[in-house]
Amino acid sequence: MADYPIKRILKSTNLWLLLIFIVYSIFIIIQSKLQPDGFLTSDSTHYLQMAENLLNGNGMTTINLVPEISTYFATWPIGYPALIAIASFVTGVGVFWAAKLVNILLLGLCFVLIKCLFKQRAPIVGMIFFISTFTTVFVYTWSEVPFIFGMIWLVYGIVNYVEANKIRYAFHMMFAALFLFFMRYIGLIGAGIVGLIGFYYLFSKQWRHMLTCWIAGSIPMLIAGIYLFYNYLQTGLLTGMERIPRAETASEFMIMLWQGLVAEFNTLATSSHVYVAESIIILLVGLLLFVRPRHIRALFSLNRRQFLLPGMFLFVGLVYFIAIVYMRWNAHFDPFNFRLLGPATLMLWLFFISWVTQLKQRDWARWRGFLLLVLGIAFVMNVGYNTYTSLLSPSPDYADTVNKVQETYEEIPAGSIIAFENIHARYLRPDLQYIKVHFQPYFAEKESVKALRERISPNHAAGVYLQTGPIREDRYHDSFIKLIKSARDSEDFVKLE
């Protein structure tokens, strides 16, 4: 009897989820500190710049030195920068670490929802975050992190509303849909999904529940419409920038999509080449070791009610996947990779794992062994090995990058305009206006130096500077390539007179 408390502790769902959460949080902090750019991209620094702007009490418009160019924040929704600003304000840390704290807190909220949905089998479900796509997404400062939480929240609200028909879960659906939109514009699908649940009740002639779902879906749509209209008033565009047609041919597009999908099935790396074969072998070995035909047949013996949770994960994931493929077909932006496809991948994994967790203990034990093998190896590679290599890396860390950027920008007077900026300058020097030189394929035409001068005139800037450095010759106008190359070896900046 003496060892009973120990066994009880080891079987504690909350303890295992907490342990996974702590390990994952340490991983995010270490990776963010040791990677030279702190896992920031251009989009990330726009979020941090806006968060800094909100903290400074300047609202959604950053410093504007060119009257004809709007600096209103409309290219992305305000939600993620607002969360970062709140975290920074409450804790007192800078926006960089506040963003990482937001990611950690959202991971914790994901685990809370997983515990609510999966009860005692939740720790195994939580381990899916060790898959390469998610260990990569959660360490970056990207709005996909809160978006993933929003998708799980939406499924939680829908499933509980369908099962219990209680009004509080309608509020969960409504606020989850609203949350999704304020994280990413594609999040408007959340309101559409809630509306589609209303059609389910329409066909089953449950009028009160139909009306509840339609109201819960319509309110986020109305708020989103007002938000987008205000964007239009401020910038002349619904989402703040011109969306140009995709650059790829239909065949190139399909190849890109296929490569992205292959990479998403890779549990050990976000690549369509590296570790793909190893991932397939691990999956097959796991199936051969633990799963027998009767355990597969057991999956199809579940009753209709037990398919609700996996069905909702699959449905939400498919809606998102169709929406993102459609958007990318019609407009040029990021290629298909773990960032764009990650939310759909998570929904697919949750569909599968919520299916097998419905099984009786005997069958579940076999699938649990399979999952422990696959996800355990993913943990070793994506968390353990990546942390080990980061600790041994001789590369400069994030602090070194920040110090270098601050030193480089000391010569730039406040109230200046900068083009070709280092991405970190956006949040380290919010007193400067950053102008994006038009380049292909993200803009219709390559912008010349003369055209840029005309676009930013008149202005009341202290000066207009181009930061020198490597430049993509296939993307930018020849006049910029010549100007940057002529000064790159001797100066950090070229001043446009």
Side-chain angles (χ1 to χ4, degrees), residues 40 44-45 47-56 80-81 83-89 91-102 141 398 424 426-428:
L40 300 181
S44 308
T45 57
Y47 302 140
L48 297 185
Q49 180 190 17
M50 178 46 54
E52 194 72 56
N53 206 62
L54 292 172
L55 286 169
N56 294 334
Y80 191 40
L83 291 178
I84 296 170
I86 292 169
S88 179
F89 178 79
T91 62
V93 300
V95 292
F96 172 79
W97 286 113
K100 305 305 180 182
L101 177 60
V102 166
T141 298
Y398 171 72
H424 299 279
R426 284 191 165 271
Y427 61 96
L428 295 174

Short mmCIF file of all heavy atoms in Angstrom, two decimals, residues 40 44-45 47-56 80-81 83-89 91-102 141 398 424 426-428:
data_model
loop_
_atom_site.label_atom_id
_atom_site.label_comp_id
_atom_site.label_asym_id
_atom_site.label_seq_id
_atom_site.Cartn_x
_atom_site.Cartn_y
_atom_site.Cartn_z
N LEU A 40 11.97 34.96 -35.73
CA LEU A 40 11.13 36.04 -36.24
C LEU A 40 11.28 36.11 -37.75
O LEU A 40 12.37 35.89 -38.29
CB LEU A 40 11.54 37.40 -35.65
CG LEU A 40 11.48 37.58 -34.14
CD1 LEU A 40 11.91 38.98 -33.78
CD2 LEU A 40 10.09 37.30 -33.61
N SER A 44 6.45 38.59 -38.47
CA SER A 44 6.59 38.63 -37.01
C SER A 44 6.93 40.04 -36.52
O SER A 44 6.36 40.52 -35.54
CB SER A 44 7.69 37.67 -36.55
OG SER A 44 7.51 36.37 -37.05
N THR A 45 7.86 40.67 -37.22
CA THR A 45 8.30 41.99 -36.75
C THR A 45 7.25 43.06 -37.00
O THR A 45 7.22 44.07 -36.30
CB THR A 45 9.64 42.38 -37.42
OG1 THR A 45 9.51 42.36 -38.84
CG2 THR A 45 10.74 41.42 -37.01
N TYR A 47 4.08 42.39 -36.44
CA TYR A 47 3.27 42.21 -35.24
C TYR A 47 3.91 42.91 -34.04
O TYR A 47 3.22 43.59 -33.26
CB TYR A 47 3.12 40.72 -34.90
CG TYR A 47 2.50 39.85 -35.97
CD1 TYR A 47 3.01 38.57 -36.22
CD2 TYR A 47 1.41 40.29 -36.72
CE1 TYR A 47 2.44 37.76 -37.20
CE2 TYR A 47 0.86 39.48 -37.69
CZ TYR A 47 1.38 38.22 -37.93
OH TYR A 47 0.82 37.42 -38.90
N LEU A 48 5.23 42.74 -33.89
CA LEU A 48 5.92 43.34 -32.76
C LEU A 48 5.94 44.87 -32.85
O LEU A 48 5.81 45.57 -31.84
CB LEU A 48 7.35 42.80 -32.66
CG LEU A 48 7.50 41.30 -32.41
CD1 LEU A 48 8.97 40.94 -32.23
CD2 LEU A 48 6.68 40.84 -31.22
N GLN A 49 6.10 45.38 -34.07
CA GLN A 49 6.07 46.83 -34.27
C GLN A 49 4.72 47.40 -33.84
O GLN A 49 4.65 48.42 -33.15
CB GLN A 49 6.35 47.17 -35.73
CG GLN A 49 6.33 48.67 -36.01
CD GLN A 49 6.37 48.99 -37.51
OE1 GLN A 49 6.10 48.11 -38.34
NE2 GLN A 49 6.70 50.21 -37.85
N MET A 50 3.64 46.72 -34.24
CA MET A 50 2.32 47.21 -33.88
C MET A 50 2.07 47.08 -32.38
O MET A 50 1.46 47.96 -31.77
CB MET A 50 1.24 46.45 -34.67
CG MET A 50 -0.19 46.84 -34.35
SD MET A 50 -0.55 48.62 -34.26
CE MET A 50 0.04 49.20 -35.84
N ALA A 51 2.56 45.99 -31.78
CA ALA A 51 2.42 45.84 -30.33
C ALA A 51 3.13 46.98 -29.61
O ALA A 51 2.60 47.56 -28.65
CB ALA A 51 2.99 44.50 -29.89
N GLU A 52 4.33 47.33 -30.07
CA GLU A 52 5.07 48.45 -29.50
C GLU A 52 4.31 49.75 -29.70
O GLU A 52 4.26 50.61 -28.80
CB GLU A 52 6.45 48.53 -30.17
CG GLU A 52 7.45 49.41 -29.46
CD GLU A 52 7.96 48.80 -28.17
OE1 GLU A 52 8.47 47.68 -28.20
OE2 GLU A 52 7.82 49.49 -27.13
N ASN A 53 3.70 49.89 -30.87
CA ASN A 53 2.93 51.09 -31.16
C ASN A 53 1.72 51.23 -30.22
O ASN A 53 1.41 52.32 -29.73
CB ASN A 53 2.44 51.04 -32.61
CG ASN A 53 2.19 52.42 -33.21
OD1 ASN A 53 3.11 53.22 -33.33
ND2 ASN A 53 0.95 52.70 -33.57
N LEU A 54 1.06 50.11 -29.95
CA LEU A 54 -0.08 50.11 -29.03
C LEU A 54 0.38 50.46 -27.62
O LEU A 54 -0.29 51.22 -26.90
CB LEU A 54 -0.77 48.74 -29.04
CG LEU A 54 -1.49 48.34 -30.33
CD1 LEU A 54 -1.96 46.89 -30.26
CD2 LEU A 54 -2.68 49.26 -30.61
N LEU A 55 1.51 49.91 -27.21
CA LEU A 55 2.04 50.21 -25.87
C LEU A 55 2.39 51.68 -25.72
O LEU A 55 2.27 52.24 -24.62
CB LEU A 55 3.28 49.35 -25.61
CG LEU A 55 3.03 47.86 -25.33
CD1 LEU A 55 4.34 47.09 -25.36
CD2 LEU A 55 2.34 47.67 -23.98
N ASN A 56 2.82 52.29 -26.80
CA ASN A 56 3.18 53.72 -26.78
C ASN A 56 1.96 54.63 -26.89
O ASN A 56 2.10 55.85 -26.92
CB ASN A 56 4.17 54.04 -27.90
CG ASN A 56 5.51 53.36 -27.68
OD1 ASN A 56 5.89 53.06 -26.56
ND2 ASN A 56 6.24 53.10 -28.76
N TYR A 80 -3.43 39.50 -32.77
CA TYR A 80 -2.17 38.97 -32.24
C TYR A 80 -1.29 40.08 -31.67
O TYR A 80 -0.79 39.95 -30.53
CB TYR A 80 -1.45 38.18 -33.31
CG TYR A 80 -0.28 37.36 -32.83
CD1 TYR A 80 -0.33 36.67 -31.62
CD2 TYR A 80 0.88 37.25 -33.59
CE1 TYR A 80 0.75 35.91 -31.19
CE2 TYR A 80 1.96 36.48 -33.17
CZ TYR A 80 1.89 35.82 -31.96
OH TYR A 80 2.96 35.07 -31.54
N PRO A 81 -1.09 41.21 -32.38
CA PRO A 81 -0.33 42.30 -31.76
C PRO A 81 -0.96 42.81 -30.46
O PRO A 81 -0.25 43.17 -29.53
CB PRO A 81 -0.36 43.39 -32.84
CG PRO A 81 -0.54 42.66 -34.12
CD PRO A 81 -1.42 41.51 -33.79
N LEU A 83 -2.67 40.99 -28.27
CA LEU A 83 -2.32 40.02 -27.23
C LEU A 83 -0.88 40.24 -26.74
O LEU A 83 -0.60 40.17 -25.54
CB LEU A 83 -2.48 38.59 -27.74
CG LEU A 83 -3.90 38.10 -28.03
CD1 LEU A 83 -3.85 36.68 -28.59
CD2 LEU A 83 -4.78 38.15 -26.80
N ILE A 84 0.03 40.48 -27.68
CA ILE A 84 1.43 40.72 -27.32
C ILE A 84 1.56 41.98 -26.48
O ILE A 84 2.28 42.00 -25.47
CB ILE A 84 2.30 40.82 -28.60
CG1 ILE A 84 2.29 39.50 -29.36
CG2 ILE A 84 3.73 41.22 -28.25
CD1 ILE A 84 2.90 39.58 -30.75
N ALA A 85 0.86 43.04 -26.89
CA ALA A 85 0.91 44.31 -26.15
C ALA A 85 0.37 44.13 -24.73
O ALA A 85 0.94 44.65 -23.76
CB ALA A 85 0.11 45.38 -26.89
N ILE A 86 -0.72 43.38 -24.59
CA ILE A 86 -1.29 43.14 -23.25
C ILE A 86 -0.30 42.37 -22.39
O ILE A 86 -0.08 42.70 -21.21
CB ILE A 86 -2.63 42.38 -23.38
CG1 ILE A 86 -3.69 43.27 -24.02
CG2 ILE A 86 -3.10 41.90 -22.00
CD1 ILE A 86 -4.95 42.53 -24.43
N ALA A 87 0.31 41.32 -22.96
CA ALA A 87 1.27 40.52 -22.21
C ALA A 87 2.47 41.36 -21.79
O ALA A 87 2.98 41.25 -20.67
CB ALA A 87 1.73 39.33 -23.05
N SER A 88 2.94 42.22 -22.68
CA SER A 88 4.07 43.09 -22.36
C SER A 88 3.70 44.09 -21.28
O SER A 88 4.48 44.34 -20.35
CB SER A 88 4.52 43.83 -23.63
OG SER A 88 5.60 44.69 -23.35
N PHE A 89 2.50 44.66 -21.37
CA PHE A 89 2.05 45.64 -20.39
C PHE A 89 1.91 45.01 -19.00
O PHE A 89 2.32 45.60 -17.99
CB PHE A 89 0.71 46.23 -20.83
CG PHE A 89 0.13 47.22 -19.87
CD1 PHE A 89 0.60 48.52 -19.84
CD2 PHE A 89 -0.88 46.85 -18.99
CE1 PHE A 89 0.07 49.45 -18.94
CE2 PHE A 89 -1.43 47.75 -18.10
CZ PHE A 89 -0.95 49.06 -18.07
N THR A 91 3.31 42.12 -17.82
CA THR A 91 4.53 41.53 -17.26
C THR A 91 5.71 42.49 -17.21
O THR A 91 6.65 42.26 -16.44
CB THR A 91 4.96 40.30 -18.10
OG1 THR A 91 5.26 40.72 -19.44
CG2 THR A 91 3.83 39.26 -18.13
N GLY A 92 5.69 43.52 -18.06
CA GLY A 92 6.80 44.45 -18.10
C GLY A 92 7.95 44.02 -18.98
O GLY A 92 8.95 44.75 -19.10
N VAL A 93 7.84 42.87 -19.63
CA VAL A 93 8.91 42.43 -20.53
C VAL A 93 8.73 43.08 -21.90
O VAL A 93 7.65 43.59 -22.23
CB VAL A 93 8.93 40.89 -20.68
CG1 VAL A 93 9.14 40.24 -19.33
CG2 VAL A 93 7.65 40.38 -21.33
N GLY A 94 9.78 43.07 -22.72
CA GLY A 94 9.70 43.64 -24.06
C GLY A 94 8.79 42.82 -24.96
O GLY A 94 8.41 41.68 -24.64
N VAL A 95 8.45 43.38 -26.12
CA VAL A 95 7.47 42.74 -26.98
C VAL A 95 7.97 41.41 -27.54
O VAL A 95 7.16 40.51 -27.81
CB VAL A 95 7.04 43.67 -28.14
CG1 VAL A 95 6.24 44.86 -27.62
CG2 VAL A 95 8.25 44.14 -28.96
N PHE A 96 9.28 41.27 -27.70
CA PHE A 96 9.80 39.99 -28.21
C PHE A 96 9.45 38.85 -27.26
O PHE A 96 8.86 37.84 -27.67
CB PHE A 96 11.32 40.07 -28.41
CG PHE A 96 11.95 38.74 -28.74
CD1 PHE A 96 11.88 38.23 -30.03
CD2 PHE A 96 12.60 37.98 -27.76
CE1 PHE A 96 12.45 37.00 -30.34
CE2 PHE A 96 13.16 36.75 -28.06
CZ PHE A 96 13.09 36.27 -29.35
N TRP A 97 9.80 38.99 -25.99
CA TRP A 97 9.53 37.94 -25.02
C TRP A 97 8.06 37.88 -24.66
O TRP A 97 7.54 36.81 -24.30
CB TRP A 97 10.40 38.11 -23.79
CG TRP A 97 11.82 37.72 -24.05
CD1 TRP A 97 12.91 38.53 -24.08
CD2 TRP A 97 12.30 36.41 -24.36
NE1 TRP A 97 14.03 37.81 -24.39
CE2 TRP A 97 13.70 36.51 -24.56
CE3 TRP A 97 11.69 35.17 -24.49
CZ2 TRP A 97 14.49 35.41 -24.89
CZ3 TRP A 97 12.47 34.06 -24.81
CH2 TRP A 97 13.86 34.19 -25.00
N ALA A 98 7.36 39.00 -24.77
CA ALA A 98 5.91 38.97 -24.54
C ALA A 98 5.23 38.08 -25.56
O ALA A 98 4.28 37.35 -25.24
CB ALA A 98 5.35 40.39 -24.59
N ALA A 99 5.70 38.12 -26.81
CA ALA A 99 5.12 37.28 -27.86
C ALA A 99 5.36 35.81 -27.56
O ALA A 99 4.47 34.97 -27.76
CB ALA A 99 5.72 37.65 -29.22
N LYS A 100 6.56 35.48 -27.08
CA LYS A 100 6.84 34.08 -26.73
C LYS A 100 5.98 33.65 -25.54
O LYS A 100 5.51 32.50 -25.49
CB LYS A 100 8.33 33.90 -26.41
CG LYS A 100 9.28 34.36 -27.51
CD LYS A 100 8.99 33.71 -28.85
CE LYS A 100 9.97 34.20 -29.93
NZ LYS A 100 9.69 33.62 -31.26
N LEU A 101 5.76 34.57 -24.60
CA LEU A 101 4.90 34.27 -23.46
C LEU A 101 3.46 34.02 -23.92
O LEU A 101 2.79 33.10 -23.42
CB LEU A 101 4.94 35.43 -22.46
CG LEU A 101 4.02 35.31 -21.23
CD1 LEU A 101 4.38 34.07 -20.43
CD2 LEU A 101 4.11 36.56 -20.38
N VAL A 102 3.00 34.81 -24.88
CA VAL A 102 1.66 34.59 -25.44
C VAL A 102 1.56 33.20 -26.04
O VAL A 102 0.57 32.48 -25.83
CB VAL A 102 1.33 35.68 -26.50
CG1 VAL A 102 0.10 35.29 -27.32
CG2 VAL A 102 1.09 37.02 -25.82
N THR A 141 7.02 33.65 -33.91
CA THR A 141 6.07 34.68 -33.53
C THR A 141 5.11 34.89 -34.70
O THR A 141 5.28 35.80 -35.51
CB THR A 141 6.80 35.99 -33.16
OG1 THR A 141 7.65 35.74 -32.04
CG2 THR A 141 5.82 37.10 -32.80
N TYR A 398 20.14 35.48 -30.28
CA TYR A 398 19.21 36.58 -30.55
C TYR A 398 19.72 37.90 -29.96
O TYR A 398 19.62 38.95 -30.61
CB TYR A 398 17.83 36.25 -29.99
CG TYR A 398 16.88 37.42 -30.02
CD1 TYR A 398 16.36 37.88 -31.23
CD2 TYR A 398 16.53 38.08 -28.85
CE1 TYR A 398 15.50 38.97 -31.27
CE2 TYR A 398 15.68 39.17 -28.88
CZ TYR A 398 15.16 39.62 -30.09
OH TYR A 398 14.32 40.70 -30.12
N HIS A 424 14.43 43.44 -37.68
CA HIS A 424 14.35 43.73 -36.24
C HIS A 424 14.23 45.22 -35.95
O HIS A 424 13.78 45.60 -34.86
CB HIS A 424 15.58 43.16 -35.53
CG HIS A 424 15.70 41.68 -35.67
ND1 HIS A 424 15.00 40.79 -34.89
CD2 HIS A 424 16.44 40.92 -36.53
CE1 HIS A 424 15.30 39.55 -35.25
NE2 HIS A 424 16.17 39.61 -36.24
N ARG A 426 12.16 47.22 -37.05
CA ARG A 426 10.75 47.63 -37.00
C ARG A 426 10.25 47.82 -35.57
O ARG A 426 9.48 48.73 -35.30
CB ARG A 426 9.87 46.62 -37.74
CG ARG A 426 9.94 46.74 -39.24
CD ARG A 426 8.87 45.93 -39.94
NE ARG A 426 8.76 46.34 -41.34
CZ ARG A 426 7.98 47.30 -41.77
NH1 ARG A 426 7.21 47.96 -40.92
NH2 ARG A 426 7.94 47.62 -43.05
N TYR A 427 10.64 46.92 -34.68
CA TYR A 427 10.18 47.07 -33.29
C TYR A 427 11.23 47.67 -32.38
O TYR A 427 10.91 48.17 -31.29
CB TYR A 427 9.70 45.71 -32.74
CG TYR A 427 10.75 44.64 -32.69
CD1 TYR A 427 11.48 44.39 -31.54
CD2 TYR A 427 11.04 43.85 -33.81
CE1 TYR A 427 12.45 43.39 -31.48
CE2 TYR A 427 12.00 42.86 -33.77
CZ TYR A 427 12.70 42.63 -32.60
OH TYR A 427 13.67 41.65 -32.57
N LEU A 428 12.51 47.66 -32.83
CA LEU A 428 13.56 48.28 -32.03
C LEU A 428 13.63 49.79 -32.25
O LEU A 428 14.02 50.53 -31.34
CB LEU A 428 14.92 47.66 -32.38
CG LEU A 428 15.08 46.17 -32.04
CD1 LEU A 428 16.40 45.64 -32.57
CD2 LEU A 428 14.99 45.95 -30.52
#
